[in-house]
Amino acid sequence: MGKVRLNEDAQIVKTIRQGLEEKGGYCPCRVGKSEDIKCMCKEFKEQIADPDFEGYCHCMLYYKEK
């Protein structure tokens, strides 16, 4: 499994973390609240499990390297 790190853009990290705090840990980039979109979201966890995936999560808070 590759390394997961925060986005290198401090402003994006700050903005997303503020949104997470306001929404109680749910992705600020999505509508509604469900366990599937609670950070770290189900979609990104599945992407992390794929050894061929490299890229950002939906809200661009995290980046997975190969």
Side-chain angles (χ1 to χ4, degrees):
M1 180 165 80
K3 178 182 174 186
V4 176
R5 61 173 171 79
L6 285 175
N7 189 321
E8 61 280 349
D9 185 322
Q11 185 59 47
I12 289 175
V13 171
K14 180 181 176 185
T15 300
I16 297 301
R17 283 188 166 164
Q18 182 179 10
L20 285 167
E21 187 175 320
E22 291 170 5
K23 286 189 71 178
Y26 295 94
C27 182
C29 306
R30 298 180 189 226
V31 177
K33 292 182 179 178
S34 78
E35 287 306 307
D36 288 350
I37 62 169
K38 189 138 189 173
C39 191
M40 178 177 289
C41 70
K42 178 181 175 185
E43 177 184 14
F44 194 56
K45 287 178 185 175
E46 290 172 355
Q47 290 171 326
I48 290 170
D50 178 354
D52 294 324
F53 175 80
E54 181 170 2
Y56 288 101
C57 67
H58 179 82
C59 67
M60 297 188 66
L61 178 61
Y62 296 108
Y63 186 84
K64 183 209 173 204
E65 301 171 349
K66 282 189 178 183

